[in-house]
Amino acid sequence: MTERDATPDPKSVRILIADDDPGLLESLRQLLSLEGYPVHTANGGGAAIEALRQESFDLLLLDLSMPGLGGVDVLRFMRAADLETLTVVVSGNSTVEDVAGALREGAHDYLKKPYEPAELMATVRNALQRKVLEDTNRAMRARLEQSERLHRVIVNNSPDIVFILDADKRFRFVNSRVHELLGYSRQDLLETSVLDLVEADERDKAEYFFDQARNRQTHLRSVELALRPARHSRTRRFFEVAVWPAGAGETHDHGGHEALTYGTARDITDRKESEAFINFQAYHDLLTRLPNRALFRDRVDVAISHAQRSGTRLAVLFIDLNRFKVINDSLGHTVGDRLLQGVAQRLQDCIRKGDTLSRFGGDEFTLLIPGLADNDAAVHVADKILESLQAPFEIGEHELFVGASIGIAIYPDAGDNLEALIKNADIAMYREKSTGRTGVRLYSPEMGGHPPQRLQLEQDMRRALDRDEFHILYQPQIDTHSGLMVGVEALVRWDHPRLGLLGPAEFIAIAEETRLIVELDRLTLRTAIREILHHNREGRPELRLAINLSPVLVERDDFVEDFLGILGETGFPPDLLEVEITENLLMSDTVDTVHKLNRLCAAGVQIAVDDFGTGYSSLSYLQKLPIHTLKIDRSFTHTICQEDEACIVNAIISMARGLQMNIVAEGVETEAHRDYLQRLECPMMQGFLFSPPAPLHALLTNGDLVAATATCQ
């Protein structure tokens, strides 16, 4: 039987879905129905058991956590009733205990919520293929005495290795697929133990599995094993091995019959390699094959824990290449990528086996040296790295030279946690880089908390305010019902003469630390009001303006007088202005904050909470403070189509309705986001689906396009 033959006609399949979430039941039903599968649903474990009593099903998609009778209870019922329905658990419970428990109770496969539709359909198809093979094997055993020839035709055309073992685990039969997949002749394997095909490091696991599988009381029926190919092939291959003891009346342990075990082995090498590659991608930089930032952080955390217990020291080195940007810009990214690979190889040649070298990003590398004897040892490694980079790199027809600036932070002198060590190594590196030379610098407390580049950015910002280097872009806020742009949010950008266009994330933190944010916020407010007023007079009198204000500005004693003074000077209608503040400001819940916001509200200004739901404050402030709007943070919107994440957005919208507040969903970037929010009747949306931040005149010119994007179905 080929893989294609093992796929049943969807109309001939009976599928039951059991879950206590009506929304999920309907979603799964629709998804499977689109593929042509007849689907029955059961709301909860009790309903599932009743359906299984009354009808037979080929496949059960089962949730574990349900009130009353849960998924495990359903599995136990099926085992007691000896039902042949194949079960795939679809659940948010993803711990090892949950997965192992479900498999022990008879589940065929396990799929974690939230799932991708394609992943679900692939799992369903694989399960149904498995069901067909199981049914075929059962029928084959029943007809074995009647038609040995038909039996061999079916088995030898199976996509899997099909075999029969005797009581000593020796092959009594194996189909020709074993030669195609492992290179063994069928005759060579007869009377050979199946354990001889298992890789040495998995022999104990395999022996335990086959011993247990002969016990009719156990539900251990499948296992993943690495099987050893014939001598001419050294490639390690992985198989899902499933076995079934011979049925009662066919064979037995005593008398004139043998105790046989039937089995199949499905080649899952491609799947295992894909899983390994995905795991490698998650923790490694694909260009250099080095650990990435995530894996490096994990290694540093482990090293710090060990150093704390043993009283030893460790070093974190921050390595920044000199002249790389010049090479990359002049010769292209292909040459730049090959240069980074060459640098990574030389750096690896300089370190010990227990050290961790990571590509931190761009042309930056980090190095962890645990078990440090003294500070000089770290400096010695850094000097060795610099020496290794002195020789030119031969990249194609180019002979390239790069150097490096290296900063070193020693635990515990330069910090007792991951963030402090990386930050201080970075500071030391920038201090060395500012000298214009290739070299090494050991961090010392005298260097302070700001690398030279940060100090330079602060100085540039002071000049930028005088030179009008800041400008405002706007992002439209769309009325969900009408699809019209009813407001805009003002977003500040910095046209830096040397670094190019900078977004708020690159300079707002510095502005707040230096208190330059006060002047910047005032400038942003005046500029935005002036531009909105111009267009209000040109035919958009109802266009609303939303603007973010820093807590640094709001906490000033003269905040309200200054703010209302600007409105009075410009003549801007207060009821068209919405001030966005963060939850961090509201967490203080001081009397002074409440008083200031009440004064703004009394003047007609609307108050919005930006990035709502990302803080950890008590929700009591929603009733204590004059808040009109909640802005759902983009991180929640981005995961809105995942069932276990969407509930957060549902809850926020429901809560806002109950408190009679407006809602704006930020980060709407796909039609799926938009459609979901429309179904929830979220009143307003904002995001790249409608428009990226743009000049105001461009948004008003393209207003019809924005409206079309908002209303298309």
Side-chain angles (χ1 to χ4, degrees), residues 284-536:
H284 291 81
D285 170 56
L286 295 184
L287 177 65
T288 62
R289 317 295 286 181
L290 294 176
N292 61 13
R293 186 178 302 200
L295 181 54
F296 182 78
R297 289 177 178 275
D298 287 343
R299 297 273 178 87
V300 174
D301 282 335
V302 172
I304 289 175
S305 298
H306 177 74
Q308 288 174 337
R309 291 193 302 269
S310 61
T312 56
R313 304 164 71 83
L314 62 87
V316 170
L317 278 64
F318 207 105
I319 307 165
D320 184 83
L321 300 183
N322 299 330
R323 299 190 69 254
F324 175 78
K325 190 176 188 305
V326 175
I327 295 172
N328 199 52
D329 291 344
S330 59
L331 299 180
H333 294 291
T334 301
V335 173
D337 288 348
R338 291 179 61 189
L339 177 59
L340 286 174
Q341 290 171 334
V343 169
Q345 184 58 56
R346 289 196 190 177
L347 296 183
Q348 283 183 299
D349 292 340
C350 296
I351 65 176
R352 304 171 304 178
K353 184 176 181 180
D355 301 338
T356 299
L357 176 67
S358 157
R359 186 185 177 199
F360 209 65
D363 61 346
E364 297 175 336
F365 297 83
T366 50
L367 174 61
L368 166 66
I369 306 177
L372 197 67
D374 52 45
N375 295 0
D376 290 341
V379 175
H380 174 73
V381 174
D383 288 337
K384 186 177 179 182
I385 289 173
L386 294 180
E387 183 180 355
S388 74
L389 296 177
Q390 288 180 359
F393 290 85
E394 303 290 341
I395 308 293
E397 60 184 17
H398 303 287
E399 186 179 70
L400 305 176
F401 292 86
V402 294
S405 298
I406 303 178
I408 304 175
I410 305 293
Y411 169 89
D413 300 340
D416 60 0
N417 59 72
L418 168 71
E419 288 73 19
L421 290 171
I422 291 179
K423 183 188 77 171
N424 291 333
D426 187 30
I427 291 171
M429 182 275 294
Y430 271 112
R431 184 62 61 92
E432 182 62 29
K433 198 176 188 72
S434 66
T435 66
R437 303 188 306 270
T438 290
V440 178
R441 184 69 61 98
L442 195 64
Y443 175 81
S444 63
E446 294 76 20
M447 293 180 184
H450 299 277
Q453 185 177 12
R454 188 176 180 87
L455 295 175
Q456 183 64 52
L457 207 60
E458 175 186 335
Q459 296 169 6
D460 292 348
M461 186 179 295
R462 295 182 187 277
R463 289 191 289 267
L465 289 166
D466 296 328
R467 297 174 181 175
D468 293 327
E469 292 176 4
F470 293 96
H471 72 275
I472 310 299
L473 297 181
Y474 301 84
Q475 191 167 40
Q477 295 180 334
I478 305 301
D479 182 276
T480 302
H481 179 70
S482 67
L484 298 177
M485 181 175 67
V486 295
V488 292
E489 180 182 0
L491 303 166
V492 65
R493 296 292 186 268
W494 182 2
D495 291 316
H496 195 284
R498 180 171 52 86
L499 302 176
L501 186 64
L502 302 180
E506 298 174 271
F507 60 86
I508 289 297
I510 299 175
E512 290 187 331
E513 286 181 15
T514 59
R515 300 294 174 173
L516 292 173
I517 192 67
V518 173
E519 188 175 350
L520 180 59
D521 273 1
R522 287 172 176 165
L523 175 66
T524 302
L525 178 62
R526 288 181 183 274
T527 304
I529 282 177
R530 184 174 64 250
E531 294 184 3
I532 293 290
L533 277 175
H534 171 75
H535 289 284
N536 282 352

Side-chain angles (χ1 to χ4, degrees), residues 11-12 30 33 35 59 161 166 182 211 256 260 278 282 298 363 376 397 414 436 444 466 508 528 534 584 591 640:
K11 295 180 180 179
S12 69
Q30 291 180 4
S33 296
E35 296 293 326
L59 179 63
I161 298 172
D166 63 17
L182 292 173
D211 286 340
L260 301 179
I278 291 171
D298 287 343
D363 61 346
D376 290 341
E397 60 184 17
S444 63
D466 296 328
I508 289 297
H534 171 75
N584 291 333
V591 175
I640 203 170

